[in-house]
Amino acid sequence: RSGAHEISGGRPEGEATLDAVQAGGATALTMAAENGHLDVVRYIADERGAALDPVHANGGLALIEAAYHGHLDVVRYLAERGAAIAYATLDAVDADGTTALMLAASGGHLDVVRYLAAERGAAVDAATADGATALIIAAGSGHLDVVRYLAGERGAALDAKTKDGSTALLAAAQGRHRDVQRYLAGLAAAHSKQKAEAQARELADEEEKKAKARARELAEEEERASIAAAELLAESAEAGGEGKAKYSR
């Protein structure tokens, strides 16, 4: 067909069309995944044997397209079938480091974000070439529920920065997402308080250790002084005893 070329690696012509790249850069599988048609995805992959990781012209894999559009059932199916491993990890998408988790976060698809992070082990602090993480992207897009999950439940780094210095808090402020901004500011303050308290406990523990060590040193010094005094007293008594014996003879 005009505007398409085959990437099937020599399949018979009747089957190769499933993996053909259309004029817009998509394949049958990436289009079905993008539009959330699980039954079509199943048919193409299971019954027709289409490649699970065809790459859309814009760099998106089938699972990535499904994640971006929030189709959890398609994401789950493709992930369980082993899709999106073309670049060595489930997270990897293209050269700039964008991941399925980031794209799901950008669209506010909490169910997909939760699935990828909790069940597929997607790295929450993975960053693009520009330094953007899923948390920064979600914050800049104003998705409070995703921000709460990534930062509050998954421990995503609050201090991660893009190359231009933007943190999640700054991204939320720039996007005028006041609810996200307030949440992140409060969380950062709580983390700072916890860190300060932990440091104070460490300092107190260290001071206690020093005090105990000094007390042991003083006790040992007193013990040595007592022993020395007892020895001196014994020597004096012995010397006095010898003197009395001398004059008594």
Side-chain angles (χ1 to χ4, degrees):
R1 285 178 294 176
S2 176
H5 65 275
E6 294 180 3
I7 58 172
S8 62
R11 288 185 182 181
E13 184 177 354
E15 296 182 18
T17 54
L18 285 175
D19 289 337
V21 178
Q22 308 301 313
T27 67
L29 184 60
T30 58
M31 285 190 292
E34 178 180 346
N35 289 285
H37 300 313
L38 179 60
D39 53 345
V40 178
V41 170
R42 286 182 182 276
Y43 172 74
I44 294 173
D46 289 346
E47 297 189 33
R48 299 302 300 275
L52 290 176
D53 293 321
V55 182
H56 190 285
N58 65 11
L61 295 161
L63 185 150
I64 306 307
E65 296 297 328
Y68 178 64
H69 291 89
H71 303 307
L72 176 60
D73 53 351
V74 177
V75 169
R76 187 187 300 274
Y77 168 76
L78 290 172
E80 290 176 354
R81 284 290 305 271
I85 312 297
Y87 299 99
T89 70
L90 173 68
D91 290 357
V93 181
D94 50 35
D96 74 355
T98 303
T99 69
L101 183 69
M102 294 173 190
L103 293 179
S106 73
H109 305 304
L110 178 59
D111 54 349
V112 178
V113 169
R114 190 185 299 275
Y115 171 74
L116 290 171
E119 297 187 40
R120 305 305 300 185
V124 296
D125 286 328
T128 66
D130 292 332
T133 63
L135 179 61
I136 292 174
I137 293 168
S141 301
H143 301 305
L144 178 59
D145 54 350
V146 175
V147 169
R148 283 183 182 276
Y149 175 71
L150 291 173
E153 295 186 39
R154 304 301 299 185
L158 297 178
D159 56 356
K161 294 181 180 179
T162 61
K163 285 187 175 180
D164 64 4
S166 292
T167 62
L169 180 58
L170 183 57
Q174 291 171 337
R176 298 181 182 276
H177 304 302
R178 302 306 183 199
D179 52 348
V180 176
Q181 189 177 352
R182 284 192 296 270
Y183 171 75
L184 288 172
L187 188 61
H191 283 189
S192 295
K193 181 180 178 181
Q194 290 172 356
K195 184 177 180 180
E197 290 175 346
Q199 290 175 337
R201 285 193 298 270
E202 290 178 3
L203 183 60
D205 290 344
E206 187 63 29
E207 290 300 322
E208 184 179 354
K209 288 178 183 178
K210 290 180 179 179
K212 288 181 178 179
R214 181 55 181 162
R216 283 195 299 270
E217 290 177 0
L218 291 174
E220 290 171 358
E221 289 177 2
E222 289 179 1
E223 183 180 4
R224 287 194 294 270
S226 296
I227 292 173
E231 290 176 347
L232 183 60
L233 183 60
E235 290 176 0
S236 298
E238 184 178 347
E242 288 180 355
K244 289 181 180 180
K246 177 180 179 182
Y247 290 113
S248 65
R249 289 196 292 266

